């Protein structure tokens, strides 16, 4: 019992001593004097021989010793990087505890570039050098590093030592932060010269937050402060050179080769120069230690020299136009339902209106902005194609639904009093008339989500219950690989034969949202070589490929598909893609282009490959020219695929097999080689991976009609769709349903989904 009381009293004495030391550090007028006073007590608390305090320099690139308990007045400096122990702690902002700082193997276990400090290496032959380093932080900002050396007795620093050390670091952080708060940050130079007042600076910060811009950009564009003065103020604060955008500067290809453009856009830095193995980095905040560590990790073996720049100028270097009003969508961590509740609280607290009659909560309120951002971010994450914001009758809750894999899912209920704020916010983002609620309007939102470009087509519709909005997500992406189209072996052979033609026309058909554009770009990717000039006219341009010259249709200024096609013929192309043959003029021009030595791709909204031929003939095309130009038609649909994590195998009953045989056609079914006795099919079940629907993702079902000599004869004769289909089936074409059934037997889809999109 006596031993227990003694241990307890000892802990209480230590904690009392720690409290006294921390109070002295916080209350001191001169920090170094206070450290001298408490140094003996610190040595008792942690049982160390000596300790040292580093402070981060104003440019964030180094830490410098400002106090050493051994009385040595020599200044020690360390770069904020992974080559020294103190620099590593400053960079990672993590506590480091070593049993022996002279042990090269232990030191390099932290980072392969780490070097043993010569101070410890000299004593390595005598005793071990235990070391404890703790970052001095204020919230998430690094202020310095506290280093405790040589634990008495050569034993490692204990967990209790770490606790005491962090308490001391916390007390020091408050003292160091107090000394730094006399600074007005990066814009102190502007305030000193009275180029901007504190109120104007606060206003600029608010505008920048609302618009997703940087404060320097707002100071320059909204308040007329010269960029040179802004740059000088930034230089004074960060202690590194300022650099504005210069279109004459060529970025170093060697450094950019392995860097991801969206990552650079998101993190606001860019390599400007490569000077004999030393990378010059332009960044909007050189004091950001975490980003500095990332940069050094991404550019291994290189020293980095930092310059400060305005975020928008950095984007210009990266090929992004800051004047395009592209907003950055930053999704809040809160759930949608939580944001709706928060919006309700704000409205309830606001009591309705200001003295001037304006509403306290409006379409620009912070929570409304967060709610719409969260809707867009969640939709992108779910892979949704559309977001539907729909009011309901009277006081009933409005509904937000998202179309995922072709099916609408109810996502959120929005109280009737709030739905109009959400609609108004979307209208502002899409730059349509917010005051017009009686007519339909179309707009566009161009933004970046986590650095990735995202475009949304917006359509408003006045209903009897109020305005509804549909936002279609048009994520800019790359072409899908050809082998991911999931074509059957026969269809793969036919399609490859089609695109090997030097000239002619290939059509991909199906309803809206059936993946026609994806398939067309997959075909173009196969033939996209330096030897071919490929031009595309699309509405909108959703998929981009290097080597393609892509044109965005703008009907409002008269640039439609027909006009684009006429312009293309004067631009010496080898391959032309016309987004859609909507009328006779476009179809006729496409046929003429194919007959004059060009390979033409286009789409139509038709239900099947045979019907496509009759539809074009009904437009008034010359049968002889059309037959001569046509290479083939690919009809397709998208079918929801079974969730791979929860799909359930089962042995089908006799009527299930009979249904499949009848749908495929009894005369064709034997070609599948199905053993009915051992047959296993799969059905949807539902799990967290698929939102409990049993389906995740979609795949294509196809029918391919090849324009053979016999088929061309039928076109010249203006034969009907039934006759064309009969010949195509004889020549190997299989219908959408038949192709879907082959995927049923593969376990990719179920027959219910095939019937839903392709008929029975």
């Amino acid at each position: 019992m006596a031993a227990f009381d003694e241990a307890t009293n000892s802990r209480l004495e230590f904690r009392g001593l720690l409290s006294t030391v921390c109070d002295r550090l916080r209350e001191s007028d001169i920090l170094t004097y206070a450290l001298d006073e408490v140094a003996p007590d610190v040595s008792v608390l942690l049982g160390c021989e000596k300790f040292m305090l580093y402070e981060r320099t104003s440019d964030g690139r180094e830490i410098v010793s400002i106090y050493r308990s051994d009385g040595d007045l020599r200044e020690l400096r360390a770069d904020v990087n992974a080559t020294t122990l103190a620099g590593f702690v400053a960079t990672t902002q993590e506590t480091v505890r070593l049993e022996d700082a002279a042990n090269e193997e232990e030191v390099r276990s932290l980072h392969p570039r780490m070097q043993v400090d010569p101070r410890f290496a000299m004593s390595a032959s005598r005793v071990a050098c235990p070391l404890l380093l703790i970052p001095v932080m204020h919230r998430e900002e690094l202020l310095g590093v506290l280093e405790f050396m040589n634990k008495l007795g050569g034993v490692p620093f204990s967990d209790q030592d770490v606790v005491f050390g962090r308490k001391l670091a916390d007390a020091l952080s408050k003292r160091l932060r107090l000394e730094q708060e006399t600074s007005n940050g990066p814009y102190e130079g502007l305030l000193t010269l009275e180029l901007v007042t504190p109120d104007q600076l606060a206003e600029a910060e608010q505008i920048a937050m609302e618009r997703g811009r940087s404060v320097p950009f707002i100071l320059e564009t909204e308040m007329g402060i010269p960029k040179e003065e802004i740059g000088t103020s930034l230089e004074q604060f960060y202690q590194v050179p300022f650099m504005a955008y210069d279109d004459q500067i060529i970025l170093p290809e060697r450094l950019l080769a392995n860097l991801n453009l969206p990552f650079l856009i998101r993190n606001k830095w860019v390599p400007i120069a490569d000077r004999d193995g030393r990378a010059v980095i332009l960044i909007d905040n050189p004091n950001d230690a975490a980003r500095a560590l990332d940069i050094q990790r991404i550019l291994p073996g290189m020293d980095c020299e930092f310059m400060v720049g305005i975020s928008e100028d950095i984007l210009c270097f990266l090929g992004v136009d800051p004047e395009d009003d592209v907003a950055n969508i930053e999704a809040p961590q809160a759930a949608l339902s939580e944001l709706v509740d928060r919006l309700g609280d704000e409205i309830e607290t606001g009591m309705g209106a200001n003295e001037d009659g304006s509403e306290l909560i409006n379409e620009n309120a912070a929570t409304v902005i967060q709610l719409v951002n969260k809707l867009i971010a969640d939709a992108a994450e779910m892979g949704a194609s559309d977001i539907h914001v729909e009011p309901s009758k009277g006081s009933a809750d409005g509904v937000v639904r998202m179309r995922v894999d072709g099916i609408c899912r109810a996502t959120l209920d929005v109280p009737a009093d709030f739905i109009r704020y959400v609609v108004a916010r979307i209208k502002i983002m899409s730059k349509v008339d917010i005051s017009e609620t009686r007519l339909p309007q179309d707009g566009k939102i161009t933004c970046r989500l986590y650095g990735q470009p995202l475009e949304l087509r917006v359509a408003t519709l006045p209903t009897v219950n109020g305005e509804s909005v549909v936002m279609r997500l048009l994520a800019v992406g790359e072409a899908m690989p050809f082998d991911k189209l999931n074509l059957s072996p026969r269809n793969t052979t036919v399609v490859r034969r089609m695109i090997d033609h030097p000239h002619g026309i290939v059509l991909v058909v199906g309803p809206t949202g059936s993946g026609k554009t994806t398939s067309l770009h997959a075909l173009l990717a196969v033939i996209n070589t330096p030897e071919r000039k490929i031009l595309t006219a699309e509405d909108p341009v959703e998929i981009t490929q290097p080597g393609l010259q892509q044109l965005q249709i703008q009907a409002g200024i008269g640039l439609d598909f027909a006009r684009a096609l006429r312009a293309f013929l004067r631009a010496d192309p080898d391959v032309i893609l016309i987004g859609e043959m909507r009328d006779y003029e476009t179809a006729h021009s496409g046929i003429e282009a194919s007959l004059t030595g060009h390979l033409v791709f286009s789409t139509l909204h038709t239900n099947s490959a045979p019907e496509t031929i009759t539809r074009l003939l009904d437009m008034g095309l010359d049968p002889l020219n059309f037959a001569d130009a046509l290479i083939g038609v690919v009809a397709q649909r998208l079918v929801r695929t079974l969730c791979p994590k929860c799909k359930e195998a089962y042995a089908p009953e006799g009527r299930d097999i009979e249904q499949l045989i009848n749908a495929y056609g009894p005369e064709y079914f034997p070609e599948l080689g199905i053993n009915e006795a051992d047959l296993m099919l799969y059905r949807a079940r539902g799990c967290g991976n698929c939102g409990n629907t049993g389906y995740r993702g979609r795949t294509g079902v196809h029918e391919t009609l090849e324009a053979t000599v016999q088929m061309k004869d039928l076109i010249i004769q203006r034969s009907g769709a039934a006759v064309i289909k009969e010949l195509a089936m004889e020549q190997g074409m299989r219908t959408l349903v038949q192709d879907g059934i082959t995927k049923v037997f593969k376990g990719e889809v179920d027959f219910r989904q095939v019937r839903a999109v392709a008929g029975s």
Side-chain angles (χ1 to χ4, degrees):
M1 187 68 177
F4 175 78
D5 290 341
E6 184 179 347
T8 301
N9 290 333
S10 177
R11 284 196 295 270
L12 290 174
E13 289 175 6
F14 266 71
R15 291 191 180 279
L17 182 59
L18 176 66
S19 178
T20 301
V21 169
C22 290
D23 289 344
R24 181 72 185 108
L25 292 175
R26 293 190 190 99
E27 296 167 0
S28 65
D29 292 328
I30 302 176
L31 180 59
T32 53
Y33 289 175
L35 286 168
D36 268 336
E37 287 182 16
V38 302
D41 293 332
V42 171
S43 294
V44 170
L45 283 168
L46 282 94
C48 64
E49 182 181 318
K50 53 188 175 181
F51 69 94
M52 182 186 307
L53 176 63
Y54 293 89
E55 185 177 20
R56 190 193 67 179
T57 59
S58 60
D59 62 6
R61 297 169 59 187
E62 290 183 307
I63 53 174
V64 181
S65 63
I66 61 171
Y67 178 80
R68 299 175 65 172
S69 66
D70 59 3
D72 193 334
L73 299 179
R74 288 177 297 175
E75 181 182 82
L76 295 179
R77 308 179 77 91
D79 291 336
V80 179
N81 58 32
T83 59
T84 64
L85 287 166
F88 177 78
V89 172
T91 303
T92 62
Q93 298 169 11
E94 297 176 355
T95 296
V96 167
R97 184 170 27 166
L98 293 176
E99 293 185 10
D100 186 2
N103 186 319
E104 185 173 349
E105 184 177 351
E106 184 180 7
V107 170
R108 287 185 180 274
S109 68
L110 295 173
H111 194 282
R113 292 180 62 193
M114 192 81 69
Q115 303 292 327
V116 172
D117 192 312
R119 292 177 295 154
F120 309 126
M122 287 189 295
S123 61
S125 60
R126 295 187 285 106
V127 293
C129 305
L131 197 68
L132 173 64
L133 298 104
I134 298 174
V136 180
M137 306 288 295
H138 177 74
R139 296 178 182 163
E140 296 183 358
E141 181 184 2
L142 176 82
L143 301 180
V145 173
L146 194 54
E147 181 179 86
F148 302 96
M149 292 166 281
N150 297 347
K151 177 78 172 176
L152 299 178
V155 297
F157 284 93
S158 66
D159 293 341
Q160 186 65 63
D161 294 331
V162 173
V163 172
F164 285 169
R166 285 175 175 167
K167 291 285 187 182
L168 292 170
D170 183 60
L172 287 167
S173 73
K174 293 178 172 59
R175 189 67 187 79
L176 290 173
R177 185 59 179 168
L178 186 64
E179 293 181 356
Q180 293 180 1
E181 283 179 348
T182 56
S183 168
N184 287 303
Y187 313 108
E188 184 175 10
L190 301 178
L191 292 166
T192 301
L193 295 174
E194 297 183 351
L195 294 173
V196 65
T197 67
D199 288 343
Q200 288 174 323
L201 181 58
E203 181 186 356
E205 290 172 344
Q206 179 65 28
I207 294 172
M209 182 181 68
E210 291 175 355
R211 298 184 185 176
R213 300 293 196 183
S214 72
V215 174
F217 182 84
I218 298 300
L219 290 172
E220 179 189 3
T221 59
E222 299 288 326
M223 300 185 176
I225 299 176
K227 182 177 286 189
E228 294 76 12
E229 298 290 352
I230 296 171
T232 300
S233 183
L234 295 175
E235 281 186 346
Q236 291 171 351
F237 178 77
Y238 291 112
Q239 294 294 296
V240 297
F242 170 79
M243 182 180 210
Y245 174 66
D246 184 348
D247 60 7
Q248 300 300 310
I249 290 179
I250 300 175
L251 301 183
E253 293 184 8
R254 186 175 75 89
L255 296 183
L256 288 170
N258 297 318
L259 296 176
N260 180 274
L261 181 60
F263 173 82
L264 295 177
I265 292 172
R266 184 168 63 251
N267 287 277
K268 303 291 192 307
W269 64 270
V270 61
I272 293 296
D274 182 0
R275 298 174 180 168
D276 298 324
R278 187 175 183 86
V280 180
I281 306 296
L282 184 66
I283 189 170
D284 66 336
N285 180 5
N287 287 0
D288 191 328
R291 274 194 290 170
L293 177 63
D294 282 339
I295 293 169
Q296 289 166 348
R297 187 183 298 117
I298 292 167
L299 302 174
M302 298 193 72
D303 292 327
C304 293
E305 175 184 327
F306 289 93
M307 301 181 73
V308 64
I310 297 173
S311 296
E312 287 72 13
D313 284 355
I314 294 172
L315 294 177
C316 285
F317 277 116
L318 294 169
V320 177
D321 184 1
E323 299 290 348
D324 63 1
D325 240 2
V326 176
N328 282 296
I329 299 296
E330 297 293 342
Q333 296 298 314
L336 287 169
S337 56
E338 182 182 336
L339 290 170
V340 170
D341 292 341
R342 195 186 301 171
L343 180 59
D345 292 341
E346 289 181 6
I347 292 177
E348 186 175 341
T349 304
M351 299 299 292
N354 287 315
E355 293 181 0
D356 63 0
S358 62
E359 294 187 73
L360 288 174
I361 299 298
N362 56 44
E363 61 278 356
N364 289 316
T367 305
V368 179
I369 294 171
Q370 290 184 57
L371 179 58
V372 174
N373 287 358
K374 182 68 171 173
L375 284 173
I376 295 173
D378 282 6
E381 185 176 344
M382 294 168 62
S385 59
D386 301 90
I387 306 170
H388 300 255
V389 181
E390 303 167 336
S392 299
K393 184 177 180 180
S395 60
D397 289 350
V399 178
V400 176
R401 299 189 294 165
M402 296 186 185
R403 189 178 295 278
V404 181
D405 296 337
I407 304 296
C408 281
R409 297 183 189 175
T411 305
L412 182 68
D413 291 334
V414 182
D417 292 338
F418 308 165
I419 195 78
R420 60 194 176 99
Y421 301 122
V422 177
V423 171
R425 174 61 189 167
I426 295 170
K427 291 173 71 174
I428 287 175
M429 293 176 71
S430 56
K431 299 180 177 62
V432 301
D433 186 354
I434 190 173
S435 64
E436 179 56 74
T437 60
R438 300 166 300 170
L439 296 173
Q441 298 186 75
D442 295 322
K444 181 175 70 172
I445 298 173
T446 303
C447 59
R448 281 184 291 273
L449 178 62
Y450 309 129
Q452 300 286 349
L454 179 66
E455 184 176 304
L456 298 96
R457 288 293 181 92
V458 179
T460 70
L461 187 67
T463 72
V464 293
N465 299 320
E467 275 191 295
S468 70
V469 175
V470 177
M471 293 183 283
R472 168 154 289 187
L473 281 73
L474 305 171
V476 177
E478 298 178 350
M480 177 182 287
F482 180 81
D483 57 4
K484 298 293 185 182
L485 293 178
N486 202 11
L487 293 163
S488 68
R490 184 262 174 187
N491 289 342
T492 298
T493 301
V494 172
V495 171
R496 284 195 173 275
R497 194 157 55 229
M498 289 179 184
I499 62 179
D500 281 343
H501 280 254
H503 54 80
I505 188 164
V506 176
L507 301 171
V508 179
V509 304
T512 300
S514 60
K516 298 186 297 295
T517 301
T518 300
S519 293
L520 279 173
H521 273 276
L523 302 185
L524 287 181
V526 176
I527 61 174
N528 183 9
T529 62
E531 294 78 22
R532 283 193 172 96
K533 173 72 175 283
I534 303 177
L535 300 175
T536 78
E538 303 167 75
D539 186 19
V541 176
E542 297 179 56
I543 299 171
T544 58
Q545 292 188 53
L548 269 59
Q549 299 296 306
Q550 297 175 262
L551 181 149
Q552 171 74 53
I553 293 300
Q554 301 183 61
I557 59 172
L559 181 56
D560 55 16
F561 285 115
R563 185 168 183 178
L565 184 51
R566 290 196 299 271
F568 282 178
L569 294 177
R570 297 190 294 271
D572 189 30
D574 298 299
V575 180
I576 296 172
L577 184 151
I578 297 296
E580 185 181 344
M581 288 188 168
R582 295 178 177 174
D583 50 40
Y584 168 80
E585 183 181 3
T586 308
H588 176 74
S589 299
I591 298 299
E592 290 296 319
S594 67
L595 291 173
T596 55
H598 304 92
L599 181 59
V600 179
F601 294 88
S602 191
T603 72
L604 263 81
H605 289 131
T606 53
N607 292 322
S608 69
E611 288 180 23
T612 303
I613 293 173
T614 57
R615 170 74 65 83
L616 287 168
L617 290 173
D618 289 343
M619 279 186 183
L621 293 180
D622 178 79
L624 191 60
N625 286 342
F626 180 34
D628 194 16
L630 184 65
I631 298 172
V633 182
V634 179
Q636 72 176 61
R637 300 286 191 280
L638 291 178
V639 180
R640 298 170 80 194
T641 52
L642 294 166
C643 175
K645 291 192 176 181
C646 68
K647 65 180 180 180
E648 184 178 51
Y650 72 98
E653 298 179 359
R655 65 173 180 271
D656 295 330
I657 298 175
E658 183 179 352
Q659 186 180 40
L660 290 170
I661 292 173
N662 290 334
Y664 195 87
E667 67 274 31
Y668 299 108
F669 191 78
E671 70 187 20
L672 297 178
I674 300 296
N675 184 348
E676 298 178 23
D678 300 330
L679 180 61
M680 296 293 291
L681 299 180
Y682 290 85
R683 58 191 168 203
R685 185 175 181 181
C687 66
N689 181 58
C690 58
N692 291 315
T693 64
Y695 303 95
R696 185 173 179 84
R698 290 189 290 178
T699 191
V701 293
H702 312 85
E703 63 181 38
T704 57
L705 182 153
E706 193 171 13
T708 62
V709 174
Q710 297 90 335
M711 187 63 67
K712 292 177 183 290
D713 288 340
L714 292 183
I715 296 173
I716 294 171
Q717 297 167 21
R718 291 182 175 272
S719 300
V723 177
I724 292 173
K725 178 181 178 181
E726 182 179 354
L727 176 61
M729 295 287 286
E730 290 176 4
Q731 294 179 342
M733 184 189 84
R734 293 296 174 259
T735 65
L736 295 167
V737 172
Q738 289 174 316
D739 192 49
I741 290 174
T742 63
K743 293 176 172 66
V744 170
F745 289 128
K746 290 180 180 179
E748 298 174 2
V749 301
D750 60 23
F751 187 49
R752 175 187 172 193
Q753 295 300 317
V754 173
R755 284 188 303 179
V757 301
S760 56

